[in-house]
Amino acid sequence: MPNFNGRGISLSVQLYALVIFLTVVSFTVRLLMNVDHTRDYLNDQMASHSQDAATSLGLSISPYMDDENLVIADTMMSAIFDSGYYQSMRFVTHEGQVKLNRENPQTVESVPAWFMHAFELTPPTGSSEVNDGWQIAGTLYVTSHPGVSYLQLWQYAQRAFLSSLVILIVSLIIAHFILRAVLKPLHTVTEQADAVSRKQFVHNPATYWTKEVNVLAGAINAMVVNVQKTFDSMTKHAENLTRDAYLDKLTALGNRRAFESQFKLDLHDLAEHHQANTSSHTIGLVSLASLQSVNRDFGYQAGDAYVLEAVEILKNSFKNISGNKIYRIAGGSFIFTLPHDLELCLDQVQLVHESLQSLSSSRYPNGFGNVVVTGYNEQDTLTDLLARLDTLATTDAANLGQGAATSTYQAVNEQTTPSLGLQQWKQLINDILATGEVEFSYQPVKAASSTAIIYNELFARFSYQDDLIANAPLFAMAERLDLTEELDKKIIMALGELSKNGLDKPVAVNISRQSLHSAHFSSWLSQFMRDAKPYMTELYFEVNETALLDNINGATNNINLFKTHGIKLCIERFGVSFSSFKYLRGLNVDFIKLDGSYVRDLMQNPDNNYFIQAVTQICHGLGIKVIACHVEDEATYHKLNELHCDASQGQFIQAPLKLAHNCLKNECDNVVNTLKSRTDLNNHGT
């Protein structure tokens, strides 16, 4: 039976326990009463038997009460006594003298002592006056022996126990089938309610013969229909907002606004996480120089087909580079970003160049298209990068058909510092896994309605031979080499060591795309969590939305497994994929963290307000809490509270700090005190 949050005892267990208890009590009481009634019957039977024996024996020995014939009376008494049915026989004169006496021990070997003690028989004594002529010679006392009665009572108890036990078993079997029939519809309804708690909207069309269950099923069905309608309506509204504000309608790629917002956030992330002096990213510009001519000569439908063909080239060329992003910033202009050094991306860029050149024909008077690329780091600005790409594109256009793309790559490479090759990265990552150290910094996620800290996000950095390795190129190359799962394991094991030593706050770590979809990682995690259960009780995972959308079904299976170990889930960078939010339905996650691009320019962009409000309504309807990251100032913080975000994270709350101690308590208390001291902070919360 489903059991919400693992709390309480299921109704089926309670009913079965009650039925078994009542049946066992009934069985026991019935058995005891039957045995007790039989004991009373045997006592009465012994009383009658002893009295009859006393009367008949007294009449028989009356003629022999004189001293000369007393031996005959003794012989007659012995003949009757030796039958074994009597415990004692005594003839006592009226002066109190015992003339005749016979005694038998009360022990019965075939009956357990505990039974005789529990159901004690009280054999009565029958009496009869014996006459000697016209005078009373004395009184004869006869006491029945309980041995035979004990044996009869013991045999009856055995038969009664076996028959009652058979009745008990048959009753329980019948009760089981009755309860199963009664509880089956309730079980179905409970599963439906449990599915709703896991963000799954399941309609139950069945009807039942139990009135109360039908009422409950109807109420849940009505709730499911209403929640689903609300969810679909709000999802459609949020998708429309996203599509109108950030998506190119023809290609479904992000538009210029999405590119600028996202790219500024990427630069900010590079600076925030101290990835200085690492030309670890690549940006490129693709121009369809013949688009205007195609539109004019062949119509806009042909122009649209031209654009879509170029999009397919870009997607196919970069499909093996995780984290690639493609935007359409103008009619025939596309921007793409790749999370790798330029030297490691040249093969893919060359593929784009060759594909574009292979499609050139007389249909495209200015060529099908051309591509230029350059590397960048956090010290670059968007304006400078776009100017650099425009310059390279102009140079390439001026030298069209003369191998300008190749010379452009060479010119750009002269501006970049030498980087590690693929095999060198592989060796470095393996060395880090073998002997590298893990250092953590942390940043709290603060509840909107109070100064409470929901959890602390941990940022891991790897140190090898006393040098800190930049995360951006490290994880990008590890993903390309299928080694991110091993890095995730190393981070979790390092966190486990901290937890052993008293890490006493909920903490979250990011897991990679590879780990999210890996059955091997899930198996490893299950074993790790079983071993770490005594000390690692509040662990959260954050997963990237784009990684999740790669394979929703596979990710859902692993997420459900994570939940069995008490691990809570947060989808980070929510909204960056510009995809439908319907995947949230049925996904058992606890938090979503809005992509920072929606938060950083919140005060200047009203469309973001509507988007965040729609997302909070959708998520709250599903029982998911909404976290806003990159909260940089007080005005944004208060605005997010007004939009009903459940928690905030960012510089305004606290900048990332190195985790210098195993215990986060003092650090979190300092955050709370800092927040309390800010002007009017608590007067504007939700």
Side-chain angles (χ1 to χ4, degrees), residues 364-393:
Y364 308 104
N366 298 316
F368 189 89
N370 62 301
V371 56
V372 291
V373 293
T374 186
Y376 69 93
N377 57 41
E378 85 287 350
Q379 296 177 346
D380 291 306
T381 65
L382 178 57
T383 303
D384 291 341
L385 285 173
L386 292 178
R388 190 188 308 171
L389 289 172
D390 285 338
T391 301
L392 292 171

Side-chain angles (χ1 to χ4, degrees), residues 296-514:
R296 183 186 64 243
D297 298 337
F298 302 99
Y300 287 100
Q301 187 173 358
D304 291 345
Y306 177 21
V307 170
L308 293 174
E309 190 172 5
V311 170
E312 285 303 309
I313 290 174
L314 291 174
K315 288 182 177 180
N316 290 332
S317 299
F318 299 135
K319 64 183 179 182
N320 294 325
I321 298 182
S322 176
N324 74 81
K325 297 174 184 176
I326 306 171
Y327 306 88
R328 186 188 185 193
I329 62 172
S333 298
F334 299 87
I335 289 283
F336 60 84
T337 59
L338 307 173
H340 293 292
D341 287 335
L342 178 56
E343 290 184 0
L344 296 173
C345 301
L346 288 181
D347 289 343
Q348 285 74 21
V349 176
Q350 183 66 32
L351 178 61
V352 173
H353 170 69
E354 292 173 356
S355 299
L356 294 175
Q357 295 302 310
S358 68
L359 294 173
S360 295
S361 67
S362 59
R363 181 184 178 90
Y364 308 104
N366 298 316
F368 189 89
N370 62 301
V371 56
V372 291
V373 293
T374 186
Y376 69 93
N377 57 41
E378 85 287 350
Q379 296 177 346
D380 291 306
T381 65
L382 178 57
T383 303
D384 291 341
L385 285 173
L386 292 178
R388 190 188 308 171
L389 289 172
D390 285 338
T391 301
L392 292 171
T394 302
T395 303
D396 185 54
N399 297 285
L400 187 63
Q402 301 178 17
T406 303
S407 64
T408 300
Y409 303 151
Q410 293 172 349
V412 173
N413 284 338
E414 291 174 359
Q415 303 171 21
T416 62
T417 57
S419 61
L420 298 177
L422 198 62
Q423 291 304 315
Q424 291 172 306
W425 269 112
K426 184 175 183 179
Q427 183 61 49
L428 174 61
I429 294 172
N430 285 328
D431 290 342
I432 289 172
L433 291 171
T435 60
E437 301 290 335
V438 182
E439 297 182 4
F440 289 104
S441 58
Y442 72 95
Q443 189 175 40
V445 175
K446 189 196 79 69
S449 57
S450 68
T451 54
I453 303 301
I454 296 178
Y455 67 86
N456 292 275
E457 182 179 3
L458 297 187
F459 306 103
R461 292 288 302 276
F462 291 93
S463 175
Y464 178 67
Q465 294 183 350
D466 297 326
D467 290 329
L468 281 176
I469 310 300
N471 272 350
L474 173 65
F475 277 91
M477 294 307 303
E479 184 152 5
R480 189 168 177 179
L481 295 166
D482 291 331
L483 291 173
T484 52
E485 181 180 333
E486 301 305 317
L487 291 177
D488 288 343
K489 290 178 184 178
K490 189 173 182 70
I491 290 172
I492 293 172
M493 287 189 291
L495 180 57
E497 291 300 317
L498 287 179
S499 299
K500 278 184 182 179
N501 297 323
L503 191 67
D504 62 350
K505 290 288 183 180
V507 293
V509 293
N510 290 269
I511 61 170
S512 65
R513 180 191 313 263
Q514 184 181 358

Side-chain angles (χ1 to χ4, degrees), residues 436-592:
E437 301 290 335
V438 182
E439 297 182 4
F440 289 104
S441 58
Y442 72 95
Q443 189 175 40
V445 175
K446 189 196 79 69
S449 57
S450 68
T451 54
I453 303 301
I454 296 178
Y455 67 86
N456 292 275
E457 182 179 3
L458 297 187
F459 306 103
R461 292 288 302 276
F462 291 93
S463 175
Y464 178 67
Q465 294 183 350
D466 297 326
D467 290 329
L468 281 176
I469 310 300
N471 272 350
L474 173 65
F475 277 91
M477 294 307 303
E479 184 152 5
R480 189 168 177 179
L481 295 166
D482 291 331
L483 291 173
T484 52
E485 181 180 333
E486 301 305 317
L487 291 177
D488 288 343
K489 290 178 184 178
K490 189 173 182 70
I491 290 172
I492 293 172
M493 287 189 291
L495 180 57
E497 291 300 317
L498 287 179
S499 299
K500 278 184 182 179
N501 297 323
L503 191 67
D504 62 350
K505 290 288 183 180
V507 293
V509 293
N510 290 269
I511 61 170
S512 65
R513 180 191 313 263
Q514 184 181 358
S515 298
L516 179 62
H517 300 290
S518 169
H520 181 267
F521 176 80
S522 295
S523 177
W524 173 87
L525 182 68
S526 295
Q527 182 61 51
F528 176 82
M529 291 303 294
R530 281 194 290 269
D531 296 339
K533 188 175 181 179
Y535 53 85
M536 186 174 283
T537 57
E538 294 185 290
L539 177 62
Y540 296 19
F541 281 164
E542 292 193 357
V543 298
N544 193 291
E545 183 186 53
T546 55
L548 179 68
L549 293 176
D550 279 353
N551 182 357
I552 285 289
N553 292 332
T556 299
N557 292 335
N558 278 357
I559 287 173
N560 290 336
L561 187 143
F562 298 160
K563 299 288 284 188
T564 63
H565 299 297
I567 299 173
K568 294 187 177 181
L569 270 294
C570 175
I571 302 174
E572 65 167 354
R573 306 299 296 272
F574 184 82
V576 71
S577 65
F578 307 117
S579 64
S580 172
F581 302 149
K582 289 182 180 179
Y583 73 85
L584 287 175
R585 188 174 67 187
L587 200 61
N588 194 13
V589 299
D590 303 278
F591 306 93
I592 65 103

